[in-house]
Amino acid sequence: MNNIQMKNEIPDTSNDTVKLAFSVTFDDGTTISDGAIVISRAEWLNMTGKQKLDKIANVISEKILSTKVGE
C-alpha cells in the first residue's frame, strides 16, 4: 500500500495560503521525499487531517496521470 505522510503545514500570511509538505513511499519502494502542495487558508481551516491527506493523494494522482513521458 502507498504511504503518504504529511511532514509540515506552513502558513503564508502574505497571500492567505498554506503549504502542505509531504513524503510518499509507493508499493515498489519508490519515494517522493520532499513534495508540497499549496491550498487556500480558508480550505485548510475547514479540513481534518484525513481530508488534508486525501487532498495530497488526489493532487499526486491527478498530476501523475497527466504526466507525458518521452515527448
Side-chain angles (χ1 to χ4, degrees):
M1 182 173 180
N2 299 330
N3 182 17
I4 300 173
Q5 294 183 331
M6 192 162 33
K7 297 166 87 175
N8 206 347
E9 300 175 62
I10 307 161
D12 183 347
T13 55
S14 67
N15 62 8
D16 239 11
T17 60
V18 177
K19 183 184 292 186
L20 303 179
F22 65 89
S23 65
V24 180
T25 303
F26 296 98
D27 289 342
D28 66 356
T30 303
T31 63
I32 299 171
S33 59
D34 293 312
I37 66 166
V38 177
I39 61 174
S40 72
R41 186 173 187 278
E43 183 179 15
W44 175 70
L45 288 171
N46 290 312
M47 296 174 93
T48 65
K50 179 171 180 352
Q51 289 171 322
K52 292 171 189 172
L53 289 172
D54 288 344
K55 176 74 171 184
I56 292 168
N58 290 339
V59 170
I60 292 169
S61 295
E62 177 186 326
K63 299 301 180 188
I64 288 175
L65 290 174
S66 68
T67 301
K68 295 180 182 174
V69 179
E71 289 191 10

